[in-house]
Amino acid sequence: MTELTWGAAQNVMTVLEENGFEAVIVGGAVRDHLLHKKPNDVDVATSALPQQVKSVFKKTIDVGIEHGTVLIVDFDEPVEVTTFRTEGTYSDHRRPDEVQFVRSLAEDLKRRDFTINAMAIRPDGTLVDLFGGQNDLDKRLIKAVGEAEERFSEDALRIIRAIRFSAQLDFKIEEKTALAMTKTADFLQDIAVERLKAEFDKIFLSAHIYNAMRIIEQYTIVKKLPGDYDHVSKWLNFQSISDAKSGWAHWCILTNSREVLSLFKCSNDEKLFAKQVMQCYEILLTGAPTKLELFQLDEDCWLNALNSYTIIQGNEHELAQSILKLKAELPIHNKNEIQVDGKQLMQWSGRKGGPWLREVLDEILIKVLEKELPNDEQMIKEWFTDEWNV
């Protein structure tokens, strides 16, 4: 391969090599480069021990030094540098009981999860591929490094990572790897639900979400995971239109329940979003929303509800192309835009606050939205005086 430019990572490798250490780009950046995609992160692995890494750079941060990782901030972008390592037993199927630093790149690569992630590129562009990762990229195949059952027994989250890569890359899972996933699925119970959720978030941002949900069902992994997977076919052609929250909301609509959000410990923001998208979806099922409903629920909620409606019902809603236009044409878009407030109503009426105040404000809001009452202070005062006999 020809020499590559890796930005700050290239500078980091140069410094390490000038000081007598081996340094390579590893992991996802190599995979993405071979797929002609721009990598999100470019990580460096090195034969230098953590303290040796720290000694040759001016600015470093110990982000995971117990596992050999040091963050270098000498250049334009921060770069993570991790010492070549091997890992001991995984008694909890989540994390290694011990980490041993080594000088061998080969030893470091063979501990990795999948062949497509177990490649490295040297500073001169030479590819190091000891496990057939490039061949598996060409075959569009996800295959475990070495013994698949051993890889998944070490860290059961790799089962979900394999599924996530299938969703992101539209790759198939190699037969022996898939069989090992099924055999070791019981170990998923040892994985913190927060780690599972992080993988599902990435799945929901992927181009082929259906791949993931189908694999989970196909290999009976469904029995070991939180959530209801009875509607896998309704993930076909689904794409998140905002962020991962779209996927969680769609899941809630499919099951007519928000239980999955609690099972995966979703945030309050995700729970509120899903609740509002479900409200929009229910409104769409009955026909067209009122102006008040359009006003009360955000554009993003309507767009997500329309997206799910199309997938589930098999056709676009009649308002699919016009609902945002209808929302934009509302006289106001925020309650603060109303030209009067409760204080003025009390002043005009001479009455103290109470439930009547909210009732009047709500009626004013509806009348303004329906264009039955201009959003003008004097006009609202006249209506209020007349209708409420002040």
Side-chain angles (χ1 to χ4, degrees), residues 14 43 63 68 80 113 125 174 184 190-191 195 204 207 210 240 242 274 301 319-320 323 364 367 369 383 387-388:
T14 298
D43 296 327
V63 294
E80 282 195 0
D113 51 8
E174 183 257 346
T184 56
D190 297 324
I191 303 300
R195 295 182 73 199
F204 291 150
Y210 171 69
S240 295
S242 48
C301 296
L319 295 179
I323 199 161
I364 292 171
K367 287 187 174 295
L369 287 171
W383 167 85
E387 292 294 323
W388 287 78

Side-chain angles (χ1 to χ4, degrees), residues 90-289:
Y90 288 69
S91 58
D92 61 2
H93 309 293
R94 291 177 291 176
R95 61 181 72 86
D97 296 327
E98 61 178 351
V99 171
Q100 294 182 343
F101 301 132
V102 295
R103 300 290 185 177
S104 168
L105 172 59
E107 287 294 312
D108 181 86
L109 293 178
K110 76 178 186 181
R111 71 176 174 81
R112 297 177 181 268
D113 51 8
F114 307 111
T115 60
I116 60 174
N117 297 332
M119 295 179 283
I121 292 181
R122 300 189 187 281
D124 64 358
T126 302
L127 178 67
V128 181
D129 181 11
L130 306 179
F131 306 100
Q134 188 169 28
N135 186 50
D136 288 335
L137 280 181
D138 294 338
K139 291 180 179 180
R140 304 177 65 80
L141 204 61
I142 298 166
K143 181 180 179 181
V145 173
E147 291 296 327
E149 283 191 46
E150 186 176 344
R151 295 289 82 75
F152 296 129
S153 296
E154 289 169 346
D155 183 356
L157 189 68
R158 288 170 172 168
I159 297 171
I160 309 303
R161 280 171 56 83
I163 294 168
R164 188 245 295 176
F165 284 126
S166 177
Q168 290 177 326
L169 303 173
D170 195 22
F171 280 19
K172 292 183 178 179
I173 298 177
E174 183 257 346
E175 185 177 351
K176 290 182 179 179
T177 300
L179 181 61
M181 289 165 57
T182 301
K183 288 183 176 180
T184 56
D186 282 342
F187 296 143
L188 285 169
Q189 66 186 0
D190 297 324
I191 303 300
V193 72
E194 291 84 357
R195 295 182 73 199
L196 293 174
K197 181 185 180 296
E199 292 297 321
F200 272 91
D201 283 343
K202 294 174 183 177
I203 287 170
F204 291 150
L205 294 174
S206 302
H208 306 278
I209 300 171
Y210 171 69
N211 283 10
M213 306 309 268
R214 178 179 54 81
I215 291 169
I216 289 171
E217 180 189 48
Q218 179 180 355
Y219 293 113
T220 65
I221 297 167
V222 59
K223 298 177 182 179
K224 311 300 178 182
L225 290 172
D228 181 344
Y229 299 82
D230 289 341
H231 308 277
V232 171
S233 64
K234 297 301 183 181
W235 288 98
L236 185 61
N237 300 322
F238 176 82
Q239 291 284 290
S240 295
I241 61 173
S242 48
D243 55 23
K245 288 188 297 186
S246 294
W248 294 108
H250 184 67
W251 203 342
C252 291
I253 290 173
L254 289 179
T255 58
N256 193 31
S257 168
R258 298 197 300 278
E259 181 184 17
V260 69
L261 305 180
S262 296
L263 293 174
F264 278 92
K265 297 185 179 180
C266 291
S267 68
N268 289 336
D269 182 55
E270 290 166 328
K271 291 177 180 179
L272 176 60
F273 181 77
K275 177 181 179 181
Q276 292 177 336
V277 173
M278 291 179 76
Q279 288 175 338
C280 291
Y281 182 81
E282 290 299 320
I283 291 167
L284 293 173
L285 288 177
T286 63

